[in-house]
């Protein structure tokens, strides 16, 4: 059993067996993080380029650590200190770096489809760390891993994704991944932040957050970007918080063993209050730790020998 | 093409007796069980490891800690095989510092699995010693590795397959040799199903 594609571009077309393989493999890698020497020699000799055109704390450090802990050589690229400032194109940037003999590229870029574009102009394997509003597959994988860790399965669970659905790649990857794994998915946000015809994803759609979270097992909260408020997509931050902010009051109405998640970074007091973020139902920090294991699993599974090379 | 029947070289009782003798030898060489920890290589090595621990407990009344290890991340061929191995969870929940580690596997063949296991154990700490116990030694070493405790020495030719079957892992318990001379199986190369290295 292995992954069909040499790249990880998204979860939209990934089969249930492949997702399960990644999650199962991540269980074994999760243990390495607890060892005294958090390193295995598996990816020795492999060089990975972390190509980040957008700011990132979690994803970038998580990938870097995952690569180092697999004994790969890693190099990180930050747009702000690179020759992109001199006008160099994406294609030239990556082809020039590839000329230094690298094996894999982890790319985060503001243009949807940038990772796909790369697969056509370079030989290296490509991993999508977030492309515009399109997909962020490793985030959704670690979200699913975290949920499965708590509930044992994803089948039949009710997961509600709340926030700026229109601009969120985390929501999209989660929808595709969760539905493939048998979960029931709902999205909730102000109508200005819901994409047109979002129900065609096969999700329930709510603009009332109390209705949305009723009966939920997992509430996954997206950060609200303050720039959207500048663009007039919602009247004020305070109004967003009143109508959609997740507080312990709101969650009291959930009378089960629910879970609160957030991909980070959080705007405390805006989409989520501190007591919820730091409370017992929150697995936000576990998500981060699990992200390590999931990314190690992805790097390992992609590093296997490809059919053509056999 | 008719398959040559695999003959059982060791039966269930034989395995049990071998494990008993190995347990006694371990205790004799280490003057007791106080300094010991046992680490079994998944999957069948781990099964044998817990049997050895049980035996030691019967004989000396001491519970030796048992760990299990998946060595696939330390293999020297992890990227050259077409079928990536499934990685299982390693569990070593005790400190190995300054302890005598009994490393256990079912079949010793080329020695590459043991080499990987040694590298992995050293990443967990500095043991006082590592001693190797195997149920079957089938020869054909490709590295300078030798066992300290052997259940049975079975001379084989390189293309033979040695199949160890254990209760709880398989539905039977024995050691069989499948003789070489069958053209069909490319599978023989990928070393699945109980083939040691």
């Amino acid at each position: 059993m292995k992954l069909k594609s040499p790249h990880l571009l998204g979860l939209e077309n990934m089969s249930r067996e492949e997702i399960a393989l990644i999650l199962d493999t991540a269980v074994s890698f999760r243990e390495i993080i607890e060892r005294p020497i958090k390193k295995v020699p598996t990816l020795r000799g492999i060089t990975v380029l972390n190509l980040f055109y957008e700011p990132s704390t979690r994803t970038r450090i998580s990938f870097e650590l995952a690569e180092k802990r697999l004994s790969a050589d890693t190099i990180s690229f930050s747009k702000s200190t690179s020759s992109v400032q001199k006008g160099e194109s994406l294609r030239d940037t990556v082809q020039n770096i590839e000329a230094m003999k690298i094996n894999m590229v982890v790319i985060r870029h503001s243009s949807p489809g940038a990772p796909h574009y790369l697969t056509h102009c370079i030989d290296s394997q490509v991993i999508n760390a977030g492309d515009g509003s399109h997909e962020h597959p490793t985030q959704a994988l670690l979200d699913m891993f975290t949920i499965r860790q708590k509930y044992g399965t994803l089948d039949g669970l009710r997961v509600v994704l709340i926030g700026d659905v229109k601009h969120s790649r985390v929501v999209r990857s989660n929808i595709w991944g969760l539905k493939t794994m048998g979960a029931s998915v709902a999205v909730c946000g102000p109508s200005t932040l819901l994409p047109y015809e979002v129900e065609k994803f096969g999700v329930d759609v709510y603009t009332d957050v109390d209705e949305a979270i009723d009966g939920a097992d997992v509430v996954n909260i997206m950060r609200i970007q303050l720039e959207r408020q500048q663009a007039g997509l919602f009247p004020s931050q305070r109004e967003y918080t009143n109508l959609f902010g997740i507080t312990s009051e709101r969650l009291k109405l959930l009378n089960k063993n629910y879970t609160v998640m957030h991909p980070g970074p959080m705007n405390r007091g805006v989409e989520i209050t501190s007591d919820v973020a730091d409370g017992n139902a929150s697995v936000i920090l576990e998500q981060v730790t699990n992200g390590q294991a999931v990314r190690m699993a992805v790097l390992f599974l992609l590093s296997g020998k490809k059919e053509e090379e056999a | 093409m008719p398959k040559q029947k695999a003959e059982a070289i060791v039966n269930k009782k034989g395995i049990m007796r071998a494990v008993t003798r190995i347990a006694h030898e371990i205790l004799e060489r280490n003057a007791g069980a106080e300094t010991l920890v046992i680490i079994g290589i998944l999957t069948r090595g781990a099964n044998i490891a817990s049997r050895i621990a049980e035996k030691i407990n019967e004989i000396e009344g001491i519970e030796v800690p048992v760990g299990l290890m998946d060595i696939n991340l330390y293999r020297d061929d992890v990227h050259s095989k077409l079928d990536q191995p499934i990685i299982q969870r390693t569990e070593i929940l005790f400190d190995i510092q300054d302890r005598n580690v009994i490393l256990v596997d079912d079949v010793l063949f080329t020695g590459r699995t043991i080499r990987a296991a040694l590298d992995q154990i050293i990443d967990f700490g500095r043991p006082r010693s590592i001693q190797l116990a195997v149920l079957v030694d089938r020869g054909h070493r490709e590295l300078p590795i030798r066992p300290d405790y052997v259940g049975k020495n079975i001379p084989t030719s390189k293309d033979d397959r040695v199949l160890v079957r254990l209760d709880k892992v398989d539905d039977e318990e024995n050691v069989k040799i499948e003789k070489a001379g069958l053209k069909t199986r490319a599978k023989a190369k990928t070393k699945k199903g109980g083939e040691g290295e």
Side-chain angles (χ1 to χ4, degrees):
Chain A
M1 173 75 229
K2 54 190 311 185
L3 298 179
K4 293 185 198 138
S5 168
H7 314 288
L8 176 65
L9 301 178
L11 296 186
E12 184 177 359
N13 297 312
M14 193 173 271
S15 70
R16 190 183 167 115
E17 291 73 31
E18 289 173 287
I19 295 180
L21 175 62
I22 295 176
L23 299 184
D24 291 339
T25 307
V27 172
S28 310
F29 279 98
R30 179 76 183 71
E31 172 269 327
I32 297 177
I33 306 172
E34 308 293 344
R35 295 186 190 176
I37 295 191
K38 302 177 198 329
K39 212 169 172 86
V40 292
T42 320
L43 253 53
R44 208 165 71 94
I46 298 221
T47 305
V48 185
L49 166 67
N50 296 312
L51 190 67
F52 277 66
Y53 272 67
E54 285 183 334
S56 169
T57 296
R58 266 149 296 270
T59 308
R60 177 155 148 177
I61 295 182
S62 186
F63 264 110
E64 264 190 64
L65 276 181
E67 291 147 17
K68 288 182 181 343
R69 285 175 172 167
L70 290 171
S71 300
D73 292 317
T74 97
I75 189 78
S76 282
F77 165 102
S78 178
K79 174 183 144 189
S80 52
T81 51
S82 74
S83 291
V84 174
Q85 302 302 317
K86 304 181 199 171
E88 189 166 24
S89 72
L90 172 62
R91 178 182 179 150
D92 274 337
T93 300
V94 188
Q95 283 184 334
N96 272 262
I97 299 177
E98 192 178 42
M100 300 188 218
K101 305 298 178 197
I102 61 173
N103 306 96
M104 292 187 178
V105 178
V106 175
I107 174 172
R108 168 172 285 192
H109 199 280
S110 53
S111 296
H116 294 75
Y117 170 68
L118 275 193
T119 64
H120 297 304
C121 49
I122 60 174
D123 294 323
S124 309
Q125 292 176 261
V126 179
I127 298 179
N128 183 1
D131 62 332
S133 303
H134 177 224
E135 288 233 41
H136 190 356
T138 56
Q139 180 69 42
L141 286 165
L142 75 88
D143 286 346
M144 289 190 284
F145 181 90
T146 308
I147 297 173
R148 206 176 77 155
Q149 196 180 45
K150 180 166 175 181
Y151 296 95
T153 180
L154 290 155
D155 274 300
L157 288 183
R158 175 79 168 164
V159 181
V160 182
L161 307 163
I162 302 176
D164 184 353
V165 177
K166 190 167 186 173
H167 301 100
S168 173
R169 51 191 171 217
V170 174
V171 166
R172 282 171 179 75
S173 288
N174 261 290
I175 290 176
W176 280 312
L178 286 166
K179 287 188 68 62
T180 302
M181 299 304 282
S184 132
V185 184
V187 298
C188 174
S191 52
T192 46
L193 296 178
L194 291 172
Y196 186 56
E197 295 194 333
V198 65
E199 64 280 355
K200 293 206 169 148
F201 273 121
V203 297
D204 298 321
V205 187
Y206 297 89
T207 49
D208 179 325
V209 76
D210 296 303
E211 269 180 48
I213 65 179
D214 186 27
D217 295 298
V218 178
V219 175
N220 197 344
I221 305 165
M222 302 300 132
R223 177 177 69 102
I224 207 70
Q225 290 172 320
L226 304 179
E227 311 84 86
R228 311 293 174 204
Q229 189 269 317
Q230 310 285 356
L233 290 173
F234 53 91
S236 73
Q237 190 178 302
R238 196 167 65 172
E239 180 151 338
Y240 181 85
T241 305
N242 283 341
L243 292 176
F244 293 94
I246 301 298
T247 62
S248 5
E249 277 309 303
R250 285 219 141 97
L251 292 174
K252 268 196 193 120
L253 307 172
L254 295 182
N255 50 12
K256 294 184 300 173
N257 179 25
Y258 65 88
T259 304
V260 173
M261 298 174 64
H262 192 305
M266 294 186 278
N267 291 322
R268 287 173 180 264
V270 179
E271 69 266 1
I272 183 173
T273 53
S274 280
D275 55 342
V276 170
D278 305 324
N280 292 330
S282 156
V283 293
I284 294 175
L285 290 177
E286 275 97 317
Q287 284 175 268
V288 177
T289 311
N290 292 334
Q292 271 277 275
V294 165
R295 290 175 174 123
M296 288 172 91
V298 166
L299 288 161
F300 169 71
L301 288 168
L302 288 178
S303 69
K305 203 175 173 74
K306 305 296 165 278
E307 295 285 340
E308 324 81 64
E309 293 163 23
Chain B
M1 183 173 292
K3 220 179 177 160
Q4 267 189 302
K5 229 177 163 216
E7 1 155 352
I9 298 282
V10 187
N11 62 13
K12 184 169 175 147
K13 266 236 160 95
I15 292 180
M16 196 186 71
R17 289 181 185 128
V19 168
T20 304
R21 173 175 53 79
I22 290 176
H24 278 286
E25 285 181 359
I26 292 173
L27 290 169
E28 186 180 9
R29 198 178 304 193
N30 292 281
E34 289 81 13
T35 59
L36 301 177
V37 296
I38 302 180
I39 297 181
I41 297 180
L42 287 160
T43 309
R44 294 184 179 84
N47 181 301
I48 299 173
S50 38
R51 294 179 194 216
I52 295 179
E54 253 178 71
K55 251 315 140 185
I56 290 182
N57 200 356
E58 267 177 52
I59 303 169
E60 298 262 318
I62 295 187
E63 261 191 60
V64 176
V66 180
L68 6 121
M69 227 171 40
D70 183 307
I71 54 91
N72 282 302
L73 295 176
Y74 284 75
R75 295 172 70 115
D76 57 11
D77 62 351
V78 70
H79 300 299
S80 53
K81 289 156 71 98
L82 204 49
D83 277 323
Q84 262 178 323
I86 304 223
I87 308 296
Q88 298 179 77
R89 200 184 156 86
T90 291
E91 252 176 54
I92 300 184
L93 304 171
F94 42 82
D95 191 8
I96 65 167
Q97 202 68 20
D98 203 38
R99 307 274 258 169
N100 291 311
V101 174
I102 310 294
L103 176 61
V104 184
D105 204 3
D106 55 341
V107 180
L108 175 57
F109 183 27
T110 60
R112 291 180 192 269
T113 299
I114 303 302
R115 194 282 314 158
L118 292 176
D119 281 341
Q120 185 159 356
I121 292 175
I122 300 290
D123 275 350
F124 276 86
R126 190 176 195 273
R128 193 185 296 181
S129 75
I130 301 179
Q131 300 163 31
L132 175 60
V134 294
L135 188 62
V136 172
D137 180 351
R138 63 169 291 197
H140 300 287
R141 222 75 80 226
E142 289 171 5
L143 297 175
I145 302 269
R146 57 115 188 88
D148 296 280
Y149 313 98
V150 183
K152 190 153 177 88
N153 282 297
I154 301 182
T156 59
S157 71
K158 195 129 198 218
D159 299 321
D160 290 342
R161 288 182 72 205
V162 174
L163 305 169
V164 173
R165 295 285 173 262
L166 301 171
D167 287 343
K168 286 190 199 159
V169 181
D170 314 284
D171 353 293
E172 42 173 349
E173 181 139 314
N174 52 46
V175 180
K176 291 185 186 168
I177 299 185
E178 213 168 68
K179 289 262 167 228
L182 307 171
K183 282 197 243 169
T184 44
R185 296 161 298 117
K187 276 191 182 177
K189 297 275 167 147
T190 62
K191 300 190 182 77
K192 286 198 187 126
E195 182 74 289
E197 277 195 279

